[in-house]
C-alpha cells in the first residue's frame, strides 16, 4: 500500500516520477505527490485523487534532476491534499515520502516533538520532523536519519530529500518493499521494479533496517550500525509490454484473457524434459515430512487455498487446514507436531500473511510461499518459494493470479502424491491443457456474460452466489469479485446453508447465481435453487457440460471434476467485470482498495 519513486541523474525527473507513479497506482490511489529539487530549492506538488489529478497541478516549468514521489492509500488521516505525501519538516529543509505504518508515532510526538506544529494527521510527518530535530541538535543528516530509524516501530519504506544537498536521496526500508534501480549516470528508487522498468532493469534488493545513500553515480547500502553492505544487483525479468493495457479498456479484462496463456506457461515451467511435472525435491520432502499443511492467505488467495485443500487432500492424501491470515495470527489453533505452512499471496507482500510467517518461523516451523512476485517479502522470508509465473497483475481485483495459484497447488499435490507412490488416476499435464483450451472458450464468450450481467445484475442492490463442495469455494470468490468492483452487496453461500437463515433475504427478483459443476451435488444444488425460486429469486445457473439442464444460463466446457474451479471462476470474473462496467465503476481501481495490502 502506497507507492514510492525517486530519481537522481542528469535528466528532468518530473516525467520519470509521474510515469513511475502511474505504474504504482495499483498500490494506492487516493492522493499523490512529488517533490522536485533544483537550485531554487524543493518544490512540492500534491493533490487528492489520482496521478492524473496530480499531473494537472504540477508546474511544467519546474525542472529538477532530483525528485521523489508517492501515491497514497490512506492509513493515518483522510485522503486529502494536506495528508498526502511528500511531507516536509517545519523549516522546509527535509522532504519525505513514506510507505508503511509507524506504530509509535504518537509516543514519539509526545517524547520529542512537543514544540512542533503539525500540519497533517499522518504518522509520516513525525519522521521528517524528528530528522530535522536531530539535525538541529547537531547531528549530520545521515546520523539524524539513522537515529530516527532506530526509534521507529513499524513498517517503512522511505525516501528523503535535503534542501541543502543536491547530490543525495536518503532511502531506508523495514517491512515495506523498496528497490534501488541502477542506471548509467542516474539511479532510481521504487516500491516495485515495474515503476522504473522503462529506465532500468538492474535493481538492488534492500533488506529490512537498511539505509541507502543514493547518488547519481553511486549507491551505498549500510545497516543501522553504519556497516557498509555489498549487494549484487538482479535483473528484473519484466517486459515493459506486460505492464501496458495494450488495446484493452481495462487491465482486468486483459488479465482475464491472459489466463489460457498463463496456464500453458505454468505447465511448461513446471515440466521436465521427460514431460513430467516437477517441483524442487526439498519442497516435496517438506510436504512428505509434514503431518498437516496449514494454508495461510487473505482474500482471493484464501479462496484459492480452500480449493488447494481439496487438491492436496484429494490427490496427495495429506490433511490441510486453511486459515485467514489476519485471524490466525491472533487466534492460532492447536497445531500438529510437524506442520508445514504454505503462504499463498499474489503480491508476496500482504502484511497479515507476513505476520503469521514471522510468528511460525520463530516457532521453528517450515514454510513455503506460493507467489507471483519473485523477491517479494514473503518469498524472501519463507524457506521455499513456488512461483506463479502469471506475469504482473495490475488490476486490483485478482483474476489470473487466482487460477495460477490453483494450477500450482494442483501441481504441488500431484508431485507430492507421485513421490509417495500414491496413484493419481489422471494425467495432470493433459488435464491442465484441457483447462487452458476451456478457458479460451470462456474468454471468447464475453458477449454472453455481458448479457447475463445486464439481465441479472443491472438494477439489483445485492446478489447471492451458491454452490456445494468445491463450487461453494468458487462462489466465495465470485461474490468477492462482484462486490469489490461493482459495489453490489454479494455473498457466497454453501447451497444447503441458505435455509438456515440467509433465505430470509430472498425477495422478488433477488439474483441467485448458482454453480453446478459437481456430479455428486448436482441435484441438491438444483434443489436449493428451487427453494429460492419459490420465494421469488431470479436464478442464473452455470453448469458444466454433462450435468446441464434446460434452465441453465451457461454451460462451461467439460473438464476434470476436481479442476473445475480453474474454469468455473471465469464466468464469475466476467460477470463481475461487466456489472462494474454497467455501473460506471472504476474497474481497475475500485474505491477504498489497493492491490498490495502492506498494513495489518
Ligand atoms: C481480491 C484480491 C484480494 C487479495 C488479498 C491478498 O480480488 O485481490 O482479496 O487476494 O488482498 O493479496 P495477496 O494475494 O497479494 O496476498
Amino acid at each position: 500500500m502506497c507507492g514510492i519513486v525517486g530519481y537522481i541523474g542528469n535528466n528532468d525527473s518530473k516525467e520519470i516520477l509521474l510515469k513511475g507513479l502511474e505504474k504504482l497506482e495499483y498500490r494506492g490511489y487516493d492522493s499523490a505527490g512529488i517533490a522536485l529539487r533544483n537550485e531554487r530549492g524543493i518544490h512540492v506538488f500534491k493533490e487528492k485523487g489520482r496521478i492524473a489529478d496530480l499531473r494537472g497541478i504540477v508546474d511544467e516549468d519546474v525542472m529538477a534532476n532530483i525528485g521523489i514521489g508517492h501515491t497514497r492509500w490512506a492509513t493515518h488521516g483522510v485522503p486529502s491534499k494536506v495528508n498526502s505525501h511528500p511531507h516536509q519538516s517545519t523549516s522546509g529543509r527535509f522532504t519525505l515520502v513514506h510507505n508503511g505504518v509507524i506504530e509509535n508515532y504518537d509516543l514519539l510526538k509526545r517524547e520529542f516533538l512537543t514544540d512542533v506544529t503539525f500540519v497533517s494527521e499522518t504518522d509520516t510527518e513525525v519522521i521528517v520532523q524528528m530528522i530535522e530535530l536531530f539535525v538541529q541538535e547537531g547531528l549530520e543528516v545521515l546520523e539524524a536519519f539513522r537515529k530516527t530509524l532506530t526509534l521507529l516501530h513499524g513498517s517503512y519504506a522511505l525516501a528523503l530529500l535535503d534542501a541543502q544537498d543536491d547530490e543525495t536521496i536518503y532511502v531506508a526500508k523495514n517491512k515495506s518493499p523498496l528497490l534501488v534501480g541502477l542506471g548509467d549516470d542516474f539511479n532510481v528508487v521504487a516500491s516495485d521494479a515495474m515503476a522504473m522498468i522503462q529506465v532500468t532493469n538492474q535493481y538492488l534488493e534492500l533488506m529490512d533496517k537498511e539505509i541507502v545513500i543514493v547518488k547519481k553515480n553511486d549507491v551505498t547500502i549500510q545497516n543501522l550500525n553504519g556497516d557498509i553492505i555489498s549487494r549484487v544487483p538482479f535483473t528484473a525479468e519484466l517486459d515493459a509490454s506486460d505492464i501496458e493495457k495494450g488495446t484493452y479498456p481495462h487491465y482486468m479484462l486483459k488479465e482475464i484473457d491472459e489466463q489460457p496463456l498463463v496456464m500453458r506457461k505454468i505447465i511448461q515451467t513446471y515440466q521436465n524434459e521427460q514431460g513430467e511435472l516437477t517441483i524442487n525435491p526439498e519442497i516435496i520432502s517438506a510436504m512428505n515430512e509434514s503431518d498437516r499443511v496449514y494454508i495461510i492467505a487473505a482474500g482471493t488467495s484464501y479462496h484459492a487455498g480452500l480449493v488447494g485443500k481439496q487438491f492436496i487432500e484429494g490427490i496427495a492424501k495429506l490433511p490441510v487446514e486453511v486459515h485467514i491470515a489476519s485471524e490466525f495470527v491472533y487466534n492460532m489453533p492447536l497445531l500438529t507436531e510437524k506442520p508445514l505452512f504454505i503462504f499463498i499471496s499474489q503480491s508476496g507482500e500482504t502484511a497479515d500473511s507476513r505476520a503469521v510467517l514471522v510468528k511460525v518461523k520463530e516457532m521453528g516451523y517450515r514454510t513455503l510461499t506460493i507467489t507471483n512476485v519473485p523477491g517479494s517479502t514473503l518469498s524472501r522470508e519463507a524457506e521455499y518459494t513456488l512461483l506463479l509465473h502469471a506475469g504482473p497483475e495490475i488490476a486490483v481485483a485478482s483474476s489470473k493470479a487466482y487460477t495460477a495459484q490453483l494450477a500450482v497447488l494442483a501441481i504441488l499435490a500431484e508431485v507430492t502424491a507421485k513421490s509417495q507412490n500414491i496413484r493419481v488416476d489422471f494425467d495432470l499435464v493433459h488435464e491442465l491443457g484441457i483447462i487452458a483450451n476451456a478457458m479460451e472458450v470462456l474468454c471468447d464468450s464475453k458477449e454472453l456474460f455481458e448479457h447475463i450481467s445486464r439481465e441479472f445484475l443491472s438494477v439489483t442492490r445485492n446478489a447471492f452466489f451458491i454452490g456445494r463442495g468445491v463450487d461453494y469455494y468458487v462462489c466465495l470468490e465470485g461474490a468477492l469479485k462482484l462486490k469489490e468492483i461493482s459495489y453490489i452487496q454479494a455473498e457466497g453461500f454453501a447451497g444447503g446453508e441458505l435455509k438456515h437463515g440467509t433465505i430470509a433475504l430472498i425477495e422478488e427478483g433477488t439474483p441467485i447465481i448458482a454453480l453446478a459443476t459437481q456430479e455428486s451435488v448436482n441435484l441438491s444444488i438444483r434443489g436449493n435453487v428451487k427453494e429460492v425460486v419459490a420465494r421469488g429469486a431470479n436464478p442464473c445457473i452455470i453448469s458444466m457440460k454433462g450435468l446441464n439442464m434446460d434452465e441453465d444460463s451457461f454451460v462451461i466446457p467439460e473438464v476434470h471434476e476436481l479442476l473445475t474451479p480453474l474454469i468455473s471462476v471465469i464466468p464469475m470474473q466476467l460477470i463481475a467485470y461487466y456489472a462494474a462496467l454497467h455501473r460506471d465503476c472504476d474497474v481497475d481501481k475500485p474505491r477504498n482498495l489497493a492491490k498490495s495490502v502492506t498494513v495489518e
Side-chain angles (χ1 to χ4, degrees):
M1 287 177 152
C2 300
I4 285 183
V5 287
Y7 171 87
I8 181 162
N10 297 325
N11 294 326
D12 181 34
S13 57
K14 218 169 28 249
E15 196 49 34
I16 299 170
L17 297 175
L18 288 168
K19 280 217 173 88
L21 288 179
E22 276 162 359
K23 296 284 180 296
L24 291 183
E25 241 184 342
Y26 72 90
R27 302 181 64 86
Y29 37 84
D30 55 43
S31 50
I34 56 172
L36 307 173
R37 193 202 176 287
N38 61 18
E39 62 294 343
R40 286 183 288 123
I42 293 181
H43 309 259
V44 173
F45 303 94
K46 49 193 200 176
E47 192 55 292
K48 184 177 170 196
R50 304 285 165 90
I51 309 302
D53 301 301
L54 173 64
R55 273 187 181 281
I57 61 141
V58 171
D59 184 346
E60 278 300 314
D61 296 335
V62 176
M63 306 294 252
N65 301 141
I66 312 180
I68 55 178
H70 186 270
T71 178
R72 180 170 188 244
W73 187 86
T75 56
H76 294 68
V78 294
S80 68
K81 185 168 179 153
V82 79
N83 284 333
S84 56
H85 302 218
H87 290 282
Q88 292 195 289
S89 59
T90 306
S91 74
R93 175 167 174 188
F94 297 104
T95 305
L96 181 80
V97 291
H98 167 217
N99 166 27
V101 172
I102 304 304
E103 289 149 13
N104 60 337
Y105 80 105
D106 214 25
L107 214 73
L108 294 171
K109 237 184 195 178
R110 281 185 271 124
E111 192 174 340
F112 295 97
L113 303 167
T114 43
D115 294 338
V116 173
T117 307
F118 284 86
V119 294
S120 78
E121 302 160 85
T122 64
D123 49 347
T124 306
E125 205 183 339
V126 170
I127 311 175
V128 74
Q129 296 288 15
M130 289 194 41
I131 296 166
E132 173 147 297
L133 173 78
F134 295 140
V135 168
Q136 282 167 353
E137 287 178 356
L139 291 185
E140 294 293 319
V141 175
L142 181 58
E143 290 318 309
F145 189 44
R146 193 191 317 282
K147 180 168 176 183
T148 304
L149 297 177
T150 59
L151 293 166
L152 302 181
H153 292 174
S155 55
Y156 55 79
L158 302 170
L160 175 79
L161 291 184
D162 175 1
Q164 294 179 14
D165 178 353
D166 61 1
E167 291 186 351
T168 317
I169 304 177
Y170 295 92
V171 164
K173 161 200 147 66
N174 187 43
K175 297 188 198 167
S176 298
L178 200 61
L179 299 170
V180 172
L182 307 177
D184 213 0
D185 247 7
F186 73 89
N187 288 308
V188 293
V189 177
S191 300
D192 182 333
M194 214 189 269
M196 288 294 172
I197 199 72
Q198 75 274 23
V199 294
T200 181
N201 65 358
Q202 293 301 302
Y203 288 88
L204 289 171
E205 199 182 319
L206 304 184
M207 302 300 158
D208 284 351
K209 303 206 168 155
E210 286 182 345
I211 295 178
V212 196
I213 300 132
V214 183
K215 302 199 183 265
K216 187 173 78 174
N217 287 313
D218 186 49
V219 171
T220 310
I221 307 178
Q222 302 185 353
N223 61 20
L224 286 186
N225 298 324
D227 307 323
I228 308 281
I229 293 162
S230 64
R231 178 132 330 125
V232 179
F234 71 92
T235 305
E237 308 281 351
L238 266 177
D239 185 337
S241 68
D242 283 352
I243 54 176
E244 301 298 337
K245 271 202 298 247
T247 54
Y248 282 91
H250 298 102
Y251 280 108
M252 185 178 178
L253 196 62
K254 174 176 180 253
E255 289 158 10
I256 290 173
D257 263 359
E258 281 171 354
Q259 290 176 104
L261 210 76
V262 171
M263 217 33 57
R264 295 189 179 111
K265 172 100 192 276
I266 291 173
I267 303 171
Q268 205 183 20
T269 312
Y270 280 98
Q271 239 177 343
N272 64 15
E273 278 169 8
Q274 290 74 47
E276 292 158 348
L277 290 167
T278 163
I279 276 181
N280 173 357
E282 288 182 28
I283 296 178
I284 299 305
S285 300
M287 290 285 281
N288 288 331
E289 284 158 18
S290 73
D291 57 3
R292 181 165 303 214
V293 167
Y294 292 79
I295 293 182
I296 309 292
T300 290
S301 298
Y302 168 72
H303 297 155
L306 293 171
V307 178
K309 172 181 163 75
Q310 304 289 310
F311 293 167
I312 297 172
E313 290 189 340
I315 302 172
K317 312 296 175 206
L318 184 58
V320 179
E321 285 181 26
V322 190
H323 291 272
I324 293 172
S326 56
E327 283 298 307
F328 189 92
V329 73
Y330 297 110
N331 190 13
M332 216 182 255
L334 265 184
L335 300 177
T336 53
E337 243 173 69
K338 293 182 193 156
L340 169 67
F341 283 86
I342 300 185
F343 297 85
I344 307 179
S345 173
Q346 188 284 131
S347 63
E349 299 294 345
T350 300
D352 291 323
S353 300
R354 184 176 186 254
V356 180
L357 174 61
V358 169
K359 202 163 177 170
V360 300
K361 267 175 64 179
E362 275 166 18
M363 294 164 84
Y365 296 130
R366 308 193 75 175
T367 53
L368 160 69
T369 288
I370 299 181
T371 184
N372 200 26
V373 185
S376 57
T377 307
L378 289 173
S379 163
R380 278 203 321 269
E381 295 185 356
E383 204 177 335
Y384 304 110
T385 295
L386 285 176
L387 290 175
L388 297 177
H389 301 287
E393 190 181 66
I394 292 166
V396 164
S398 184
S399 56
K400 62 176 179 173
Y402 171 84
T403 41
Q405 286 164 346
L406 298 193
V408 170
L409 283 160
I411 293 170
L412 178 64
E414 201 252 18
V415 178
T416 304
K418 289 212 163 139
S419 74
Q420 294 268 36
N421 293 324
I422 296 171
R423 212 176 96 80
V424 181
D425 61 4
F426 58 89
D427 173 354
L428 187 57
V429 171
H430 177 70
E431 295 300 337
L432 288 177
I434 293 176
I435 294 276
N437 294 342
M439 284 175 159
E440 252 158 25
V441 173
L442 293 172
C443 290
D444 287 346
S445 309
K446 289 193 188 70
E447 269 174 37
L448 264 163
F449 295 117
E450 212 248 299
H451 177 76
I452 289 178
S453 185
R454 201 178 283 284
E455 184 182 341
F456 289 89
L457 301 171
S458 56
V459 290
T460 190
R461 282 186 56 248
N462 59 5
F464 295 92
F465 290 73
I466 62 168
R468 284 175 170 249
V470 83
D471 285 342
Y472 164 47
Y473 301 141
V474 179
C475 284
L476 293 176
E477 175 58 10
L480 178 62
K481 283 291 87 87
L482 184 65
K483 66 185 141 191
E484 72 174 322
I485 60 170
S486 76
Y487 317 141
I488 295 171
Q489 188 183 356
E491 300 305 332
F493 272 98
E497 190 63 10
L498 271 180
K499 59 183 173 296
H500 297 290
T502 309
I503 204 164
L505 293 173
I506 304 297
E507 295 173 344
E508 198 57 40
T510 305
I512 293 275
I513 295 166
L515 260 191
T517 74
Q518 304 295 301
E519 191 175 6
S520 59
V521 289
N522 192 25
L523 294 180
S524 41
I525 190 68
R526 288 169 186 282
N528 299 138
V529 172
K530 287 203 168 66
E531 289 158 10
V532 289
V533 168
R535 286 151 182 91
N538 187 15
C540 166
I541 303 176
I542 295 172
S543 61
M544 188 167 75
K545 193 161 178 241
L547 302 177
N548 55 306
M549 296 188 183
D550 287 348
E551 64 268 27
D552 297 353
S553 297
F554 189 84
V555 181
I556 62 177
E558 191 173 359
V559 298
H560 192 285
E561 204 178 31
L562 194 61
L563 303 174
T564 55
L566 282 141
I567 60 160
S568 59
V569 76
I570 293 179
M572 308 284 180
Q573 296 167 348
L574 285 166
I575 288 170
Y577 173 78
Y578 287 112
L581 214 58
H582 295 153
R583 287 170 181 242
D584 249 352
C585 298
D586 188 339
V587 173
D588 286 336
K589 297 190 186 85
R591 69 183 179 209
N592 304 338
L593 294 174
K595 182 78 181 156
S596 176
V597 186
T598 52
V599 293
E600 277 179 58

